[in-house]
Amino acid sequence: MTKVAIFVSGGGSNMVKLVESMTGDHPARPCVVLSNQPDAGGLLRARDMGVPTVAVDHKPFGKDRPAFEAALQEALAPFEPDLICLAGFMRVLTAGFVTPWEGRMLNIHPSLLPKYRGLHTHARALEAGDTEAGCTVHEVTAELDDGPVLGQARVPVAASDTPDTLAKRVLGMEHQLYPAVLRRFVEGTRDTLYLP
Ligand code: GRF
C-alpha cells in the first residue's frame, strides 16, 4: 500500500477529494496532512476525516528556507510517506527538499501548463483573452510549476468571467483530475490524462 502525504496551505478542498478517493481497492492511503499554516482549514478537515495532521509554521524561519525545509522533512519522516501530493501548498520548495523526492512528488496547478506558472493564473488567462483555461497535475521538479505533465483538464472561459468565477469552474475540474491522476500514478501510469 502506497502511503501518501498531502501538503496544504488553505481550505484543502483538493486534499479532501484525494483523501476521499483513497478507499476500497485504491492502492494508496493518506498517512498525514501537513501544512505550513497552523490555522489552515485543511488541517481541521483532515482531522475530521481521521487523517493525522502536522503543522510546520514557516514564519519563525523567516528567509531561511533550508531550515524550514529541514523541519518539514523531520515532521514528515515518522509517517514514512512513499509519495507527496502538494494540494494548494503555497510555499516554494527548493531543490534541497525537492530533489530527494523527485519522481515521488505531485502538484496541482490552476492553469494549462506551461502557461501561467506562479500566481494569479486566472486573472492572467482573462487578461490574455484566452477562450479556455484549466488545471494541470505534474511531477514536481526543482523548477517552479515545471516537471512532467501527468494530467490536464480544460474548461471554457465565459465572456462574463471574473478571476473568481473562473477559479471556481477550474477548481471543480481540479477535484476530478487530481484523484484520477493520483490513482493512475500509483498504479504506474505516466502518460498524460486529458479531461474531459
Ligand atoms: C487550488 O486552485 C490549487 O490549484 C491552487 O490553490 C488552490 C487550493 O485550493 N494552487 P484548495 O486548498 O485545494 O481548496
Side-chain angles (χ1 to χ4, degrees), residues 5-12 15 32-44 46-47 52-59 61 68 71-72 75-76 85-91:
I6 307 171
F7 287 17
V8 302
S9 296
M15 175 277 298
V32 66
V33 170
L34 187 151
S35 183
N36 64 306
Q37 298 281 8
D39 57 356
L43 292 176
L44 294 176
R47 259 173 249 149
T53 61
V54 183
V56 181
D57 191 351
H58 65 276
K59 286 181 226 69
F61 296 96
F68 167 64
L72 266 189
L76 199 57
C85 286
L86 306 180
F89 186 69
M90 301 308 285
R91 298 300 292 175

PDB file of all heavy atoms in Angstrom, residues 5-12 15 32-44 46-47 52-59 61 68 71-72 75-76 85-91:
ATOM      1  N   ALA A   5       1.469  11.511   1.661  1.00  0.00           N
ATOM      2  CA  ALA A   5       1.412  12.725   2.476  1.00  0.00           C
ATOM      3  C   ALA A   5       0.862  13.840   1.604  1.00  0.00           C
ATOM      4  O   ALA A   5       1.245  13.964   0.439  1.00  0.00           O
ATOM      5  CB  ALA A   5       2.805  13.097   2.974  1.00  0.00           C
ATOM      6  N   ILE A   6      -0.058  14.634   2.151  1.00  0.00           N
ATOM      7  CA  ILE A   6      -0.660  15.722   1.385  1.00  0.00           C
ATOM      8  C   ILE A   6      -0.319  17.040   2.076  1.00  0.00           C
ATOM      9  O   ILE A   6      -0.527  17.183   3.277  1.00  0.00           O
ATOM     10  CB  ILE A   6      -2.194  15.545   1.288  1.00  0.00           C
ATOM     11  CG1 ILE A   6      -2.527  14.145   0.741  1.00  0.00           C
ATOM     12  CG2 ILE A   6      -2.803  16.634   0.404  1.00  0.00           C
ATOM     13  CD1 ILE A   6      -4.003  13.778   0.809  1.00  0.00           C
ATOM     14  N   PHE A   7       0.222  17.974   1.297  1.00  0.00           N
ATOM     15  CA  PHE A   7       0.627  19.284   1.823  1.00  0.00           C
ATOM     16  C   PHE A   7      -0.418  20.330   1.416  1.00  0.00           C
ATOM     17  O   PHE A   7      -0.719  20.460   0.218  1.00  0.00           O
ATOM     18  CB  PHE A   7       1.971  19.731   1.235  1.00  0.00           C
ATOM     19  CG  PHE A   7       3.183  19.014   1.741  1.00  0.00           C
ATOM     20  CD1 PHE A   7       3.100  17.805   2.415  1.00  0.00           C
ATOM     21  CD2 PHE A   7       4.448  19.572   1.545  1.00  0.00           C
ATOM     22  CE1 PHE A   7       4.245  17.152   2.879  1.00  0.00           C
ATOM     23  CE2 PHE A   7       5.601  18.938   2.005  1.00  0.00           C
ATOM     24  CZ  PHE A   7       5.503  17.725   2.670  1.00  0.00           C
ATOM     25  N   VAL A   8      -0.910  21.094   2.375  1.00  0.00           N
ATOM     26  CA  VAL A   8      -1.904  22.137   2.105  1.00  0.00           C
ATOM     27  C   VAL A   8      -1.497  23.443   2.788  1.00  0.00           C
ATOM     28  O   VAL A   8      -0.717  23.429   3.744  1.00  0.00           O
ATOM     29  CB  VAL A   8      -3.318  21.743   2.616  1.00  0.00           C
ATOM     30  CG1 VAL A   8      -3.780  20.440   1.983  1.00  0.00           C
ATOM     31  CG2 VAL A   8      -3.347  21.629   4.134  1.00  0.00           C
ATOM     32  N   SER A   9      -2.057  24.548   2.291  1.00  0.00           N
ATOM     33  CA  SER A   9      -1.871  25.825   2.986  1.00  0.00           C
ATOM     34  C   SER A   9      -3.201  26.482   3.318  1.00  0.00           C
ATOM     35  O   SER A   9      -3.242  27.414   4.115  1.00  0.00           O
ATOM     36  CB  SER A   9      -1.055  26.801   2.129  1.00  0.00           C
ATOM     37  OG  SER A   9       0.258  26.311   1.924  1.00  0.00           O
ATOM     38  N   GLY A  10      -4.273  26.031   2.681  1.00  0.00           N
ATOM     39  CA  GLY A  10      -5.556  26.714   2.830  1.00  0.00           C
ATOM     40  C   GLY A  10      -6.680  25.761   3.183  1.00  0.00           C
ATOM     41  O   GLY A  10      -6.525  24.861   4.008  1.00  0.00           O
ATOM     42  N   GLY A  11      -7.804  25.948   2.477  1.00  0.00           N
ATOM     43  CA  GLY A  11      -9.013  25.191   2.800  1.00  0.00           C
ATOM     44  C   GLY A  11      -8.911  23.707   2.536  1.00  0.00           C
ATOM     45  O   GLY A  11      -9.606  22.907   3.157  1.00  0.00           O
ATOM     46  N   GLY A  12      -8.095  23.340   1.590  1.00  0.00           N
ATOM     47  CA  GLY A  12      -7.833  21.923   1.383  1.00  0.00           C
ATOM     48  C   GLY A  12      -8.922  21.157   0.660  1.00  0.00           C
ATOM     49  O   GLY A  12      -9.067  19.949   0.867  1.00  0.00           O
ATOM     50  N   MET A  15      -7.331  18.368  -1.190  1.00  0.00           N
ATOM     51  CA  MET A  15      -6.914  17.344  -0.231  1.00  0.00           C
ATOM     52  C   MET A  15      -8.088  16.443   0.156  1.00  0.00           C
ATOM     53  O   MET A  15      -7.954  15.213   0.200  1.00  0.00           O
ATOM     54  CB  MET A  15      -6.317  18.037   1.010  1.00  0.00           C
ATOM     55  CG  MET A  15      -5.928  17.145   2.153  1.00  0.00           C
ATOM     56  SD  MET A  15      -7.282  16.686   3.246  1.00  0.00           S
ATOM     57  CE  MET A  15      -7.796  18.273   3.888  1.00  0.00           C
ATOM     58  N   VAL A  32      -0.652  11.359   6.231  1.00  0.00           N
ATOM     59  CA  VAL A  32      -0.589  12.608   7.005  1.00  0.00           C
ATOM     60  C   VAL A  32      -0.979  13.777   6.101  1.00  0.00           C
ATOM     61  O   VAL A  32      -0.753  13.739   4.886  1.00  0.00           O
ATOM     62  CB  VAL A  32       0.834  12.834   7.589  1.00  0.00           C
ATOM     63  CG1 VAL A  32       1.879  13.058   6.497  1.00  0.00           C
ATOM     64  CG2 VAL A  32       0.867  14.005   8.582  1.00  0.00           C
ATOM     65  N   VAL A  33      -1.588  14.778   6.707  1.00  0.00           N
ATOM     66  CA  VAL A  33      -1.799  16.061   6.027  1.00  0.00           C
ATOM     67  C   VAL A  33      -0.954  17.086   6.769  1.00  0.00           C
ATOM     68  O   VAL A  33      -1.045  17.218   7.994  1.00  0.00           O
ATOM     69  CB  VAL A  33      -3.289  16.462   6.013  1.00  0.00           C
ATOM     70  CG1 VAL A  33      -3.459  17.904   5.519  1.00  0.00           C
ATOM     71  CG2 VAL A  33      -4.075  15.507   5.126  1.00  0.00           C
ATOM     72  N   LEU A  34      -0.111  17.758   6.004  1.00  0.00           N
ATOM     73  CA  LEU A  34       0.863  18.678   6.591  1.00  0.00           C
ATOM     74  C   LEU A  34       0.611  20.088   6.059  1.00  0.00           C
ATOM     75  O   LEU A  34       0.299  20.265   4.888  1.00  0.00           O
ATOM     76  CB  LEU A  34       2.252  18.195   6.205  1.00  0.00           C
ATOM     77  CG  LEU A  34       3.472  18.883   6.809  1.00  0.00           C
ATOM     78  CD1 LEU A  34       4.620  17.891   6.910  1.00  0.00           C
ATOM     79  CD2 LEU A  34       3.875  20.074   5.957  1.00  0.00           C
ATOM     80  N   SER A  35       0.747  21.076   6.935  1.00  0.00           N
ATOM     81  CA  SER A  35       0.560  22.459   6.493  1.00  0.00           C
ATOM     82  C   SER A  35       1.636  23.374   7.047  1.00  0.00           C
ATOM     83  O   SER A  35       2.127  23.162   8.156  1.00  0.00           O
ATOM     84  CB  SER A  35      -0.807  22.975   6.928  1.00  0.00           C
ATOM     85  OG  SER A  35      -0.999  24.289   6.445  1.00  0.00           O
ATOM     86  N   ASN A  36       1.966  24.394   6.270  1.00  0.00           N
ATOM     87  CA  ASN A  36       2.851  25.457   6.754  1.00  0.00           C
ATOM     88  C   ASN A  36       2.054  26.537   7.480  1.00  0.00           C
ATOM     89  O   ASN A  36       2.638  27.470   8.011  1.00  0.00           O
ATOM     90  CB  ASN A  36       3.607  26.096   5.585  1.00  0.00           C
ATOM     91  CG  ASN A  36       2.658  26.793   4.628  1.00  0.00           C
ATOM     92  OD1 ASN A  36       1.715  26.169   4.146  1.00  0.00           O
ATOM     93  ND2 ASN A  36       2.869  28.063   4.372  1.00  0.00           N
ATOM     94  N   GLN A  37       0.723  26.409   7.454  1.00  0.00           N
ATOM     95  CA  GLN A  37      -0.164  27.375   8.123  1.00  0.00           C
ATOM     96  C   GLN A  37      -0.875  26.636   9.256  1.00  0.00           C
ATOM     97  O   GLN A  37      -1.785  25.841   9.004  1.00  0.00           O
ATOM     98  CB  GLN A  37      -1.231  27.903   7.145  1.00  0.00           C
ATOM     99  CG  GLN A  37      -0.697  28.661   5.959  1.00  0.00           C
ATOM    100  CD  GLN A  37      -0.311  30.098   6.310  1.00  0.00           C
ATOM    101  OE1 GLN A  37      -0.308  30.498   7.479  1.00  0.00           O
ATOM    102  NE2 GLN A  37       0.041  30.882   5.302  1.00  0.00           N
ATOM    103  N   PRO A  38      -0.499  26.921  10.515  1.00  0.00           N
ATOM    104  CA  PRO A  38      -1.092  26.189  11.633  1.00  0.00           C
ATOM    105  C   PRO A  38      -2.607  26.327  11.694  1.00  0.00           C
ATOM    106  O   PRO A  38      -3.280  25.439  12.219  1.00  0.00           O
ATOM    107  CB  PRO A  38      -0.448  26.840  12.867  1.00  0.00           C
ATOM    108  CG  PRO A  38       0.817  27.455  12.374  1.00  0.00           C
ATOM    109  CD  PRO A  38       0.560  27.858  10.940  1.00  0.00           C
ATOM    110  N   ASP A  39      -3.161  27.444  11.133  1.00  0.00           N
ATOM    111  CA  ASP A  39      -4.615  27.625  11.192  1.00  0.00           C
ATOM    112  C   ASP A  39      -5.298  27.274   9.867  1.00  0.00           C
ATOM    113  O   ASP A  39      -6.440  27.672   9.622  1.00  0.00           O
ATOM    114  CB  ASP A  39      -4.953  29.061  11.616  1.00  0.00           C
ATOM    115  CG  ASP A  39      -4.332  30.091  10.663  1.00  0.00           C
ATOM    116  OD1 ASP A  39      -3.581  29.681   9.733  1.00  0.00           O
ATOM    117  OD2 ASP A  39      -4.599  31.296  10.835  1.00  0.00           O
ATOM    118  N   ALA A  40      -4.632  26.530   9.012  1.00  0.00           N
ATOM    119  CA  ALA A  40      -5.231  26.144   7.723  1.00  0.00           C
ATOM    120  C   ALA A  40      -6.501  25.323   7.953  1.00  0.00           C
ATOM    121  O   ALA A  40      -6.497  24.363   8.734  1.00  0.00           O
ATOM    122  CB  ALA A  40      -4.233  25.346   6.891  1.00  0.00           C
ATOM    123  N   GLY A  41      -7.557  25.720   7.254  1.00  0.00           N
ATOM    124  CA  GLY A  41      -8.811  24.979   7.352  1.00  0.00           C
ATOM    125  C   GLY A  41      -8.635  23.520   6.967  1.00  0.00           C
ATOM    126  O   GLY A  41      -9.322  22.640   7.487  1.00  0.00           O
ATOM    127  N   GLY A  42      -7.702  23.257   6.073  1.00  0.00           N
ATOM    128  CA  GLY A  42      -7.470  21.892   5.613  1.00  0.00           C
ATOM    129  C   GLY A  42      -7.052  20.951   6.741  1.00  0.00           C
ATOM    130  O   GLY A  42      -7.358  19.759   6.695  1.00  0.00           O
ATOM    131  N   LEU A  43      -6.377  21.478   7.753  1.00  0.00           N
ATOM    132  CA  LEU A  43      -5.959  20.612   8.867  1.00  0.00           C
ATOM    133  C   LEU A  43      -7.182  20.112   9.635  1.00  0.00           C
ATOM    134  O   LEU A  43      -7.251  18.926  10.004  1.00  0.00           O
ATOM    135  CB  LEU A  43      -5.006  21.377   9.808  1.00  0.00           C
ATOM    136  CG  LEU A  43      -3.624  21.715   9.224  1.00  0.00           C
ATOM    137  CD1 LEU A  43      -2.824  22.566  10.215  1.00  0.00           C
ATOM    138  CD2 LEU A  43      -2.841  20.437   8.891  1.00  0.00           C
ATOM    139  N   LEU A  44      -8.144  21.001   9.856  1.00  0.00           N
ATOM    140  CA  LEU A  44      -9.367  20.596  10.566  1.00  0.00           C
ATOM    141  C   LEU A  44     -10.136  19.561   9.748  1.00  0.00           C
ATOM    142  O   LEU A  44     -10.638  18.568  10.291  1.00  0.00           O
ATOM    143  CB  LEU A  44     -10.271  21.809  10.802  1.00  0.00           C
ATOM    144  CG  LEU A  44      -9.732  22.882  11.744  1.00  0.00           C
ATOM    145  CD1 LEU A  44     -10.691  24.077  11.803  1.00  0.00           C
ATOM    146  CD2 LEU A  44      -9.531  22.298  13.140  1.00  0.00           C
ATOM    147  N   ALA A  46      -8.968  17.516   7.577  1.00  0.00           N
ATOM    148  CA  ALA A  46      -8.254  16.228   7.595  1.00  0.00           C
ATOM    149  C   ALA A  46      -8.531  15.493   8.901  1.00  0.00           C
ATOM    150  O   ALA A  46      -8.827  14.285   8.906  1.00  0.00           O
ATOM    151  CB  ALA A  46      -6.758  16.463   7.418  1.00  0.00           C
ATOM    152  N   ARG A  47      -8.452  16.219  10.009  1.00  0.00           N
ATOM    153  CA  ARG A  47      -8.697  15.603  11.321  1.00  0.00           C
ATOM    154  C   ARG A  47     -10.104  15.010  11.365  1.00  0.00           C
ATOM    155  O   ARG A  47     -10.302  13.916  11.866  1.00  0.00           O
ATOM    156  CB  ARG A  47      -8.535  16.642  12.432  1.00  0.00           C
ATOM    157  CG  ARG A  47      -7.188  16.528  13.137  1.00  0.00           C
ATOM    158  CD  ARG A  47      -6.994  17.666  14.116  1.00  0.00           C
ATOM    159  NE  ARG A  47      -5.952  18.555  13.624  1.00  0.00           N
ATOM    160  CZ  ARG A  47      -5.890  19.850  13.836  1.00  0.00           C
ATOM    161  NH1 ARG A  47      -6.822  20.468  14.538  1.00  0.00           N
ATOM    162  NH2 ARG A  47      -4.893  20.555  13.362  1.00  0.00           N
ATOM    163  N   PRO A  52      -4.083  11.872  10.293  1.00  0.00           N
ATOM    164  CA  PRO A  52      -3.161  12.619  11.152  1.00  0.00           C
ATOM    165  C   PRO A  52      -2.731  13.927  10.487  1.00  0.00           C
ATOM    166  O   PRO A  52      -2.633  13.995   9.256  1.00  0.00           O
ATOM    167  CB  PRO A  52      -1.953  11.684  11.297  1.00  0.00           C
ATOM    168  CG  PRO A  52      -2.449  10.340  10.925  1.00  0.00           C
ATOM    169  CD  PRO A  52      -3.583  10.535   9.963  1.00  0.00           C
ATOM    170  N   THR A  53      -2.501  14.941  11.294  1.00  0.00           N
ATOM    171  CA  THR A  53      -2.078  16.235  10.749  1.00  0.00           C
ATOM    172  C   THR A  53      -0.835  16.747  11.475  1.00  0.00           C
ATOM    173  O   THR A  53      -0.604  16.415  12.630  1.00  0.00           O
ATOM    174  CB  THR A  53      -3.185  17.298  10.899  1.00  0.00           C
ATOM    175  OG1 THR A  53      -3.466  17.473  12.288  1.00  0.00           O
ATOM    176  CG2 THR A  53      -4.441  16.920  10.158  1.00  0.00           C
ATOM    177  N   VAL A  54      -0.059  17.543  10.757  1.00  0.00           N
ATOM    178  CA  VAL A  54       1.108  18.209  11.334  1.00  0.00           C
ATOM    179  C   VAL A  54       1.181  19.617  10.760  1.00  0.00           C
ATOM    180  O   VAL A  54       0.934  19.810   9.571  1.00  0.00           O
ATOM    181  CB  VAL A  54       2.433  17.503  10.952  1.00  0.00           C
ATOM    182  CG1 VAL A  54       3.605  18.182  11.642  1.00  0.00           C
ATOM    183  CG2 VAL A  54       2.416  16.046  11.313  1.00  0.00           C
ATOM    184  N   ALA A  55       1.527  20.586  11.603  1.00  0.00           N
ATOM    185  CA  ALA A  55       1.790  21.939  11.111  1.00  0.00           C
ATOM    186  C   ALA A  55       3.246  22.277  11.360  1.00  0.00           C
ATOM    187  O   ALA A  55       3.780  22.021  12.439  1.00  0.00           O
ATOM    188  CB  ALA A  55       0.886  22.934  11.830  1.00  0.00           C
ATOM    189  N   VAL A  56       3.884  22.816  10.316  1.00  0.00           N
ATOM    190  CA  VAL A  56       5.232  23.362  10.463  1.00  0.00           C
ATOM    191  C   VAL A  56       5.145  24.813   9.980  1.00  0.00           C
ATOM    192  O   VAL A  56       5.153  25.079   8.778  1.00  0.00           O
ATOM    193  CB  VAL A  56       6.274  22.584   9.633  1.00  0.00           C
ATOM    194  CG1 VAL A  56       7.662  23.179   9.840  1.00  0.00           C
ATOM    195  CG2 VAL A  56       6.271  21.109   9.996  1.00  0.00           C
ATOM    196  N   ASP A  57       4.997  25.711  10.927  1.00  0.00           N
ATOM    197  CA  ASP A  57       4.832  27.136  10.597  1.00  0.00           C
ATOM    198  C   ASP A  57       6.121  27.660   9.956  1.00  0.00           C
ATOM    199  O   ASP A  57       7.201  27.523  10.528  1.00  0.00           O
ATOM    200  CB  ASP A  57       4.527  27.888  11.899  1.00  0.00           C
ATOM    201  CG  ASP A  57       4.070  29.316  11.655  1.00  0.00           C
ATOM    202  OD1 ASP A  57       4.156  29.779  10.488  1.00  0.00           O
ATOM    203  OD2 ASP A  57       3.643  29.963  12.625  1.00  0.00           O
ATOM    204  N   HIS A  58       5.977  28.263   8.773  1.00  0.00           N
ATOM    205  CA  HIS A  58       7.190  28.749   8.091  1.00  0.00           C
ATOM    206  C   HIS A  58       7.679  30.082   8.659  1.00  0.00           C
ATOM    207  O   HIS A  58       8.831  30.445   8.481  1.00  0.00           O
ATOM    208  CB  HIS A  58       6.932  28.900   6.589  1.00  0.00           C
ATOM    209  CG  HIS A  58       5.924  29.952   6.263  1.00  0.00           C
ATOM    210  ND1 HIS A  58       4.570  29.719   6.278  1.00  0.00           N
ATOM    211  CD2 HIS A  58       6.061  31.259   5.952  1.00  0.00           C
ATOM    212  CE1 HIS A  58       3.924  30.826   5.971  1.00  0.00           C
ATOM    213  NE2 HIS A  58       4.802  31.783   5.776  1.00  0.00           N
ATOM    214  N   LYS A  59       6.771  30.806   9.366  1.00  0.00           N
ATOM    215  CA  LYS A  59       7.119  32.188   9.758  1.00  0.00           C
ATOM    216  C   LYS A  59       8.346  32.292  10.660  1.00  0.00           C
ATOM    217  O   LYS A  59       9.212  33.148  10.417  1.00  0.00           O
ATOM    218  CB  LYS A  59       5.908  32.862  10.399  1.00  0.00           C
ATOM    219  CG  LYS A  59       4.830  33.248   9.393  1.00  0.00           C
ATOM    220  CD  LYS A  59       3.680  33.935  10.070  1.00  0.00           C
ATOM    221  CE  LYS A  59       2.322  33.436   9.648  1.00  0.00           C
ATOM    222  NZ  LYS A  59       1.953  32.077  10.066  1.00  0.00           N
ATOM    223  N   PHE A  61      10.928  30.784  10.624  1.00  0.00           N
ATOM    224  CA  PHE A  61      12.169  30.527   9.879  1.00  0.00           C
ATOM    225  C   PHE A  61      12.579  31.714   8.997  1.00  0.00           C
ATOM    226  O   PHE A  61      13.686  31.704   8.437  1.00  0.00           O
ATOM    227  CB  PHE A  61      12.024  29.272   9.012  1.00  0.00           C
ATOM    228  CG  PHE A  61      11.810  28.025   9.834  1.00  0.00           C
ATOM    229  CD1 PHE A  61      10.538  27.535  10.083  1.00  0.00           C
ATOM    230  CD2 PHE A  61      12.898  27.356  10.384  1.00  0.00           C
ATOM    231  CE1 PHE A  61      10.336  26.402  10.853  1.00  0.00           C
ATOM    232  CE2 PHE A  61      12.710  26.217  11.152  1.00  0.00           C
ATOM    233  CZ  PHE A  61      11.423  25.742  11.392  1.00  0.00           C
ATOM    234  N   PHE A  68      13.602  25.711   7.248  1.00  0.00           N
ATOM    235  CA  PHE A  68      12.177  25.362   7.183  1.00  0.00           C
ATOM    236  C   PHE A  68      12.003  23.991   6.542  1.00  0.00           C
ATOM    237  O   PHE A  68      11.253  23.136   7.040  1.00  0.00           O
ATOM    238  CB  PHE A  68      11.414  26.432   6.396  1.00  0.00           C
ATOM    239  CG  PHE A  68      10.016  26.032   6.009  1.00  0.00           C
ATOM    240  CD1 PHE A  68       9.053  25.786   6.982  1.00  0.00           C
ATOM    241  CD2 PHE A  68       9.654  25.903   4.669  1.00  0.00           C
ATOM    242  CE1 PHE A  68       7.751  25.402   6.633  1.00  0.00           C
ATOM    243  CE2 PHE A  68       8.371  25.528   4.302  1.00  0.00           C
ATOM    244  CZ  PHE A  68       7.420  25.277   5.287  1.00  0.00           C
ATOM    245  N   ALA A  71      12.921  21.183   8.751  1.00  0.00           N
ATOM    246  CA  ALA A  71      11.865  20.943   9.746  1.00  0.00           C
ATOM    247  C   ALA A  71      10.692  20.187   9.116  1.00  0.00           C
ATOM    248  O   ALA A  71      10.097  19.294   9.748  1.00  0.00           O
ATOM    249  CB  ALA A  71      11.396  22.262  10.339  1.00  0.00           C
ATOM    250  N   LEU A  72      10.379  20.538   7.874  1.00  0.00           N
ATOM    251  CA  LEU A  72       9.315  19.823   7.147  1.00  0.00           C
ATOM    252  C   LEU A  72       9.656  18.339   7.022  1.00  0.00           C
ATOM    253  O   LEU A  72       8.842  17.453   7.320  1.00  0.00           O
ATOM    254  CB  LEU A  72       9.209  20.364   5.719  1.00  0.00           C
ATOM    255  CG  LEU A  72       8.250  21.463   5.328  1.00  0.00           C
ATOM    256  CD1 LEU A  72       8.250  21.610   3.812  1.00  0.00           C
ATOM    257  CD2 LEU A  72       6.852  21.172   5.824  1.00  0.00           C
ATOM    258  N   ALA A  75       9.383  16.541  10.274  1.00  0.00           N
ATOM    259  CA  ALA A  75       7.997  16.333  10.696  1.00  0.00           C
ATOM    260  C   ALA A  75       7.344  15.204   9.893  1.00  0.00           C
ATOM    261  O   ALA A  75       6.474  14.484  10.384  1.00  0.00           O
ATOM    262  CB  ALA A  75       7.198  17.619  10.525  1.00  0.00           C
ATOM    263  N   LEU A  76       7.803  15.076   8.656  1.00  0.00           N
ATOM    264  CA  LEU A  76       7.222  14.103   7.728  1.00  0.00           C
ATOM    265  C   LEU A  76       7.717  12.677   8.014  1.00  0.00           C
ATOM    266  O   LEU A  76       6.952  11.701   7.890  1.00  0.00           O
ATOM    267  CB  LEU A  76       7.670  14.516   6.324  1.00  0.00           C
ATOM    268  CG  LEU A  76       6.939  14.025   5.116  1.00  0.00           C
ATOM    269  CD1 LEU A  76       5.472  14.406   5.195  1.00  0.00           C
ATOM    270  CD2 LEU A  76       7.590  14.639   3.863  1.00  0.00           C
ATOM    271  N   CYS A  85       1.756  14.640  -2.192  1.00  0.00           N
ATOM    272  CA  CYS A  85       0.882  15.393  -3.083  1.00  0.00           C
ATOM    273  C   CYS A  85       0.770  16.814  -2.556  1.00  0.00           C
ATOM    274  O   CYS A  85       0.253  17.033  -1.452  1.00  0.00           O
ATOM    275  CB  CYS A  85      -0.517  14.784  -3.123  1.00  0.00           C
ATOM    276  SG  CYS A  85      -0.617  13.260  -4.045  1.00  0.00           S
ATOM    277  N   LEU A  86       1.275  17.779  -3.320  1.00  0.00           N
ATOM    278  CA  LEU A  86       1.061  19.177  -2.981  1.00  0.00           C
ATOM    279  C   LEU A  86      -0.342  19.543  -3.460  1.00  0.00           C
ATOM    280  O   LEU A  86      -0.690  19.295  -4.616  1.00  0.00           O
ATOM    281  CB  LEU A  86       2.102  20.063  -3.668  1.00  0.00           C
ATOM    282  CG  LEU A  86       3.580  19.702  -3.434  1.00  0.00           C
ATOM    283  CD1 LEU A  86       4.488  20.681  -4.184  1.00  0.00           C
ATOM    284  CD2 LEU A  86       3.910  19.700  -1.941  1.00  0.00           C
ATOM    285  N   ALA A  87      -1.151  20.100  -2.558  1.00  0.00           N
ATOM    286  CA  ALA A  87      -2.538  20.413  -2.906  1.00  0.00           C
ATOM    287  C   ALA A  87      -2.872  21.793  -2.339  1.00  0.00           C
ATOM    288  O   ALA A  87      -3.394  21.918  -1.241  1.00  0.00           O
ATOM    289  CB  ALA A  87      -3.480  19.346  -2.352  1.00  0.00           C
ATOM    290  N   GLY A  88      -2.494  22.823  -3.100  1.00  0.00           N
ATOM    291  CA  GLY A  88      -2.677  24.181  -2.606  1.00  0.00           C
ATOM    292  C   GLY A  88      -1.651  24.515  -1.538  1.00  0.00           C
ATOM    293  O   GLY A  88      -1.938  25.235  -0.588  1.00  0.00           O
ATOM    294  N   PHE A  89      -0.439  23.987  -1.701  1.00  0.00           N
ATOM    295  CA  PHE A  89       0.662  24.299  -0.777  1.00  0.00           C
ATOM    296  C   PHE A  89       1.389  25.515  -1.335  1.00  0.00           C
ATOM    297  O   PHE A  89       1.932  25.467  -2.444  1.00  0.00           O
ATOM    298  CB  PHE A  89       1.606  23.097  -0.662  1.00  0.00           C
ATOM    299  CG  PHE A  89       2.687  23.278   0.375  1.00  0.00           C
ATOM    300  CD1 PHE A  89       2.376  23.303   1.721  1.00  0.00           C
ATOM    301  CD2 PHE A  89       4.014  23.425   0.010  1.00  0.00           C
ATOM    302  CE1 PHE A  89       3.363  23.457   2.689  1.00  0.00           C
ATOM    303  CE2 PHE A  89       5.022  23.580   0.958  1.00  0.00           C
ATOM    304  CZ  PHE A  89       4.678  23.596   2.314  1.00  0.00           C
ATOM    305  N   MET A  90       1.356  26.610  -0.585  1.00  0.00           N
ATOM    306  CA  MET A  90       1.736  27.906  -1.155  1.00  0.00           C
ATOM    307  C   MET A  90       3.156  28.358  -0.800  1.00  0.00           C
ATOM    308  O   MET A  90       3.466  29.534  -0.893  1.00  0.00           O
ATOM    309  CB  MET A  90       0.716  28.982  -0.746  1.00  0.00           C
ATOM    310  CG  MET A  90      -0.711  28.674  -1.186  1.00  0.00           C
ATOM    311  SD  MET A  90      -0.895  28.291  -2.952  1.00  0.00           S
ATOM    312  CE  MET A  90      -0.739  29.925  -3.636  1.00  0.00           C
ATOM    313  N   ARG A  91       4.007  27.422  -0.412  1.00  0.00           N
ATOM    314  CA  ARG A  91       5.426  27.751  -0.236  1.00  0.00           C
ATOM    315  C   ARG A  91       6.215  27.125  -1.367  1.00  0.00           C
ATOM    316  O   ARG A  91       5.988  25.956  -1.714  1.00  0.00           O
ATOM    317  CB  ARG A  91       5.978  27.193   1.086  1.00  0.00           C
ATOM    318  CG  ARG A  91       5.336  27.721   2.331  1.00  0.00           C
ATOM    319  CD  ARG A  91       5.452  29.207   2.494  1.00  0.00           C
ATOM    320  NE  ARG A  91       6.810  29.699   2.739  1.00  0.00           N
ATOM    321  CZ  ARG A  91       7.128  30.981   2.818  1.00  0.00           C
ATOM    322  NH1 ARG A  91       6.205  31.901   2.640  1.00  0.00           N
ATOM    323  NH2 ARG A  91       8.370  31.357   3.069  1.00  0.00           N
TER     324      ARG A  91
END
